[in-house]
Amino acid sequence: MFKSKNMLFLLVLSAFILVLAACGADDEAETSSGTETSTGTDTTDSGSEKADFGDVKFLSILTGGTQGTYYPLGGTFADLITTDTGVKTTAEVSQASAANMTALAAGDGEVAFVQTDIAYYATQGTLMFEGQKIDSVVALGALYPETVQLVTLADSGIKTFADLKGKKVSVGAPGSGTYANAEQLLEIHGLSIEDDIQAQNLDFGESTDGIQSGQIDAAFITAGYPTGAVEALNATNGVHIIPVEADKAAELIEKYPYYAVDNIPAGTYGLEAEVPAVSVGAMLAVNKDLPEDLVYAMTKAIYDNTDKIGHAKGEFIKAETGLDGIGIEVHPGAQRYFDEVK
């Protein structure tokens, strides 16, 4: 009888344990199911909710070399986008503008730094993109100017574009952005690379070395000022930057809409007065098929937080100039943001 009671007790106890285990499993399943289906949002470590952008869980920003401007800015932008959208974003080293456009088109990145003129050539299928038109990439926004600087020595006697006729002038490598800038500015001033100057295909350092040694007379240099190579030249020889007058700048921009009016401030390279110039711009480009709400959030994350950009170029990045100099289609998400901040 005693054994029978013990057996009955053990059977009841086992049944009770099984019921408790089943209830616990049901509670856990309900909790898990509620997390996946009820909110539709992601959270950061702080617990703040982030919007659901569908299949996009990761973004890659293609920049340039580690010693350039694009890479450190890209790191800052990646942090801002990750914080504000919850989509993990990283900055990637790349070969910069032309390579970035090709990579975006191939799906090897979602966001990229690129010069405005290079973006235009890519979407038009011209110059270095001849026969390789890219129609899957659009603009997110303009960043800062990269000024076309026509550099010579203060005592060279070259004061205007007309004075370049017959002179040895560095125009950059064929197919480069600098070469295109030189060709177009000369064209607006009634000159041509082939017929009116002795064109030299030199990089920035070679150009300023050539000016210093007297091997060439002037050089086109497209870069943000102050440019190191030009500063080095000015340290040993006073430089002169040939101005682009307002009427010529307007004519250039009407024909090539990716240019913008610019000025090189007095004091730069020891200049006594401000020099009128033109610039192409550094911009961000994105894949056209990124969701509109995501691109809106990315644009807002960057342009609403420019005070958090520690790089010197951050002072040029402003919502009110976010569409300046862009000659390609703008993503609807970015356009929505800029329309709201007008």
Side-chain angles (χ1 to χ4, degrees):
M1 184 71 175
F2 180 78
K3 289 183 178 179
S4 298
K5 287 183 177 180
N6 282 347
M7 288 295 293
L8 180 60
F9 174 77
L10 289 174
L11 287 172
V12 171
L13 180 61
S14 297
F16 181 72
I17 291 172
L18 288 173
V19 169
L20 287 178
C23 290
D26 287 343
D27 288 343
E28 183 178 353
E30 287 174 9
T31 301
S32 175
S33 175
T35 299
E36 291 177 359
T37 61
S38 64
T39 64
T41 60
D42 191 8
T43 59
T44 63
D45 291 340
S46 64
S48 59
E49 293 186 350
K50 300 295 177 185
D52 182 358
F53 298 113
D55 294 335
V56 182
K57 306 299 181 186
F58 176 83
L59 292 168
S60 177
I61 302 178
L62 306 177
T63 61
T66 57
Q67 301 303 311
T69 301
Y70 289 173
Y71 184 73
L73 276 178
T76 299
F77 293 169
D79 290 342
L80 293 174
I81 291 170
T82 299
T83 299
D84 276 24
T85 71
V87 178
K88 182 174 176 57
T89 307
T90 59
E92 309 291 343
V93 175
S94 78
Q95 297 300 311
S97 293
N100 286 353
M101 289 296 291
T102 301
L104 283 183
D108 295 331
E110 293 75 37
V111 190
F113 284 76
V114 62
Q115 286 186 196
T116 51
D117 54 339
I118 300 300
Y120 181 84
Y121 304 147
T123 58
Q124 297 297 307
T126 58
L127 294 179
M128 69 283 288
F129 294 96
E130 186 73 41
Q132 300 176 3
K133 182 178 179 179
I134 294 175
D135 57 11
S136 59
V137 176
V138 293
L140 182 146
L143 299 174
Y144 58 87
E146 297 188 327
T147 308
V148 186
Q149 305 166 73
L150 180 49
V151 182
T152 187
L153 295 182
D155 60 1
S156 69
I158 301 173
K159 302 300 180 185
T160 67
F161 274 79
D163 296 331
L164 293 175
K165 194 160 186 176
K167 299 294 194 299
K168 293 180 180 178
V169 182
S170 174
V171 295
S176 69
T178 297
Y179 187 95
N181 300 149
E183 186 173 46
Q184 291 157 1
L185 272 166
L186 289 169
E187 172 198 344
I188 293 299
H189 288 86
L191 302 170
S192 77
I193 287 179
E194 294 81 8
D195 300 329
D196 296 310
I197 63 172
Q198 299 179 55
Q200 310 293 309
N201 302 119
L202 307 174
D203 65 25
F204 295 169
E206 292 169 338
S207 293
T208 52
D209 287 347
I211 291 174
Q212 184 176 9
S213 66
Q215 293 180 330
I216 64 172
D217 301 297
F220 284 89
I221 293 178
T222 301
Y225 60 76
T227 306
V230 184
E231 286 189 305
L233 176 62
N234 187 62
T236 56
N237 305 80
V239 301
H240 174 67
I241 308 296
I242 298 173
V244 180
E245 302 300 343
D247 59 334
K248 293 299 182 183
E251 188 178 344
L252 181 74
I253 293 167
E254 182 177 1
K255 186 165 186 178
Y256 303 108
Y258 43 80
Y259 283 98
V261 172
D262 200 0
N263 292 285
I264 302 173
T268 309
Y269 314 131
L271 298 171
E272 294 182 358
E274 180 179 85
V275 177
V278 294
S279 62
V280 291
M283 62 175 277
L284 287 177
V286 295
N287 285 324
K288 182 182 288 187
D289 60 0
L290 282 180
E292 179 177 332
D293 286 347
L294 174 58
V295 177
Y296 171 85
M298 291 161 56
T299 309
K300 184 177 180 63
I302 293 170
Y303 290 89
D304 275 7
N305 293 288
T306 55
D307 59 320
K308 298 177 183 176
I309 299 173
H311 194 281
K313 290 297 182 185
E315 66 178 287
F316 294 97
I317 303 173
K318 302 174 182 177
E320 56 264 36
T321 58
L323 296 179
D324 287 2
I326 289 178
I328 70 171
E329 180 183 351
V330 179
H331 194 286
Q335 185 68 59
R336 173 153 59 99
Y337 169 81
F338 290 119
D339 286 344
E340 286 180 0
V341 299
K342 280 182 179 178

